[in-house]
Amino acid sequence: DVKVTQSSRYLVKRTGEKVFLECVQDMDHENMFWYRQDPGLGLRLIYFSYDVKMKEKGDIPEGYSVSREKKERFSLILESASTNQTSMYLCASSRQGAYEQYFGPGTRLTVT
Amino acid sequence: QKEVEQNSGPLSVPEGAIASLNCTYSDRVSQSFFWYRQYSGKSPELIMSIYSNGDKEDGRFTAQLNKASQYVSLLIRDSQPSDSATYLCAVNGISGTYKYIFGTGTRLKVLA
């Protein structure tokens, strides 16, 4: 059974804090993705990675960075959290190629 | 024009009826197409994937793809109140990349 896990379901941080969101998949997938989802805006791609230590910017990378040191783990970093980064953050993974993505449970981040 | 378009709904159908959800996409080179179900506050869950023209059936769900018309649909037979959710259409391979583009979703309400 496919499994993507995320480190926290709910997180509350203060403006200016550095925030780490972790994602782990156990399916040996090459591709991993970070999205944020906001009402009325749908899913927006922040970053994705197609291999260890490889990354590409998505549609909204500003204010975020990522790290992929191991195949199964993809981290999203908010360098200095701001209130407009309050959102639901979703991690996903897929096999190499145009195949199905599987999502983690999501992290609802609130920045105050 | 949005790359992937869905009617936001809500689409209301009585219990036991067929629910028909539609999605259009703009890029003719798109390779693969997915339907996800998302309950409020939860992450997207993969229902169906379809890669070639025609119909694909899985239980009560049927996905239909027409690449000439750039149209993909999802039929839910014998709709149940538990099917009430937002359904996201996703397309991969737009503009020759492996980027997934999501529609903003159609909210389905199945009335008991």
Side-chain angles (χ1 to χ4, degrees):
Chain A
D1 207 14
V2 298
K3 198 162 185 189
V4 181
T5 57
Q6 294 183 230
S7 48
S8 306
R9 292 299 307 275
Y10 300 95
L11 210 52
V12 180
K13 295 292 181 181
R14 294 203 179 272
T15 302
E17 280 193 79
K18 192 167 186 175
V19 181
F20 293 86
L21 302 182
E22 300 271 307
C23 175
V24 177
Q25 50 95 4
D26 65 359
M27 298 165 281
D28 200 34
H29 283 169
E30 291 79 14
N31 299 334
M32 296 188 75
F33 305 79
W34 276 107
Y35 295 90
R36 64 178 282 179
Q37 188 176 31
D38 301 287
L41 297 177
L43 279 159
R44 292 182 290 167
L45 181 65
I46 304 171
Y47 268 99
F48 75 98
S49 168
Y50 51 90
D51 201 351
V52 176
K53 298 191 187 292
M54 306 303 288
K55 60 186 179 186
E56 284 204 21
K57 292 180 180 180
D59 299 316
I60 52 163
E62 297 79 18
Y64 303 94
S65 62
V66 291
S67 171
R68 193 166 179 203
E69 296 296 320
K70 293 185 178 181
K71 189 176 185 180
E72 67 271 18
R73 189 179 297 268
F74 192 34
S75 301
L76 179 70
I77 302 145
L78 286 67
E79 298 290 344
S80 177
S82 63
T83 54
N84 63 12
Q85 292 178 311
T86 291
S87 187
M88 168 73 100
Y89 288 87
L90 292 160
C91 175
S93 72
S94 72
R95 288 183 286 155
Q96 192 171 28
Y99 297 106
E100 300 91 345
Q101 279 190 322
Y102 295 92
F103 284 86
T107 295
R108 186 163 293 283
L109 172 67
T110 302
V111 183
T112 61
Chain B
Q1 183 192 4
K2 287 184 183 176
E3 292 176 287
V4 177
E5 290 208 58
Q6 295 180 256
N7 189 318
S8 60
L11 172 67
S12 294
V13 299
E15 184 175 357
I18 296 175
S20 177
L21 304 162
N22 304 315
C23 173
T24 58
Y25 60 95
S26 60
D27 195 328
R28 288 188 173 275
V29 302
S30 300
Q31 299 177 37
S32 50
F33 308 85
F34 310 96
W35 282 101
Y36 289 85
R37 177 177 61 199
Q38 187 173 26
Y39 293 113
S40 181
K42 303 292 186 182
S43 63
E45 172 194 9
L46 181 71
I47 298 174
M48 297 278 288
S49 57
I50 186 165
Y51 300 93
S52 54
N53 278 328
D55 294 1
K56 179 181 177 184
E57 188 175 316
D58 184 0
R60 295 187 296 114
F61 299 98
T62 299
Q64 299 174 316
L65 175 61
N66 183 326
K67 288 189 177 180
S69 301
Q70 293 172 240
Y71 176 95
V72 57
S73 64
L74 179 71
L75 300 177
I76 307 175
R77 287 182 300 282
D78 189 23
S79 295
Q80 301 298 309
S82 59
D83 294 326
S84 299
T86 297
Y87 289 80
L88 303 176
C89 171
V91 176
N92 183 285
I94 284 184
S95 301
T97 73
Y98 287 126
K99 191 174 166 183
Y100 296 78
I101 305 296
F102 286 80
T104 51
T106 298
R107 193 154 65 97
L108 173 67
K109 291 175 129 179
V110 180
L111 308 171

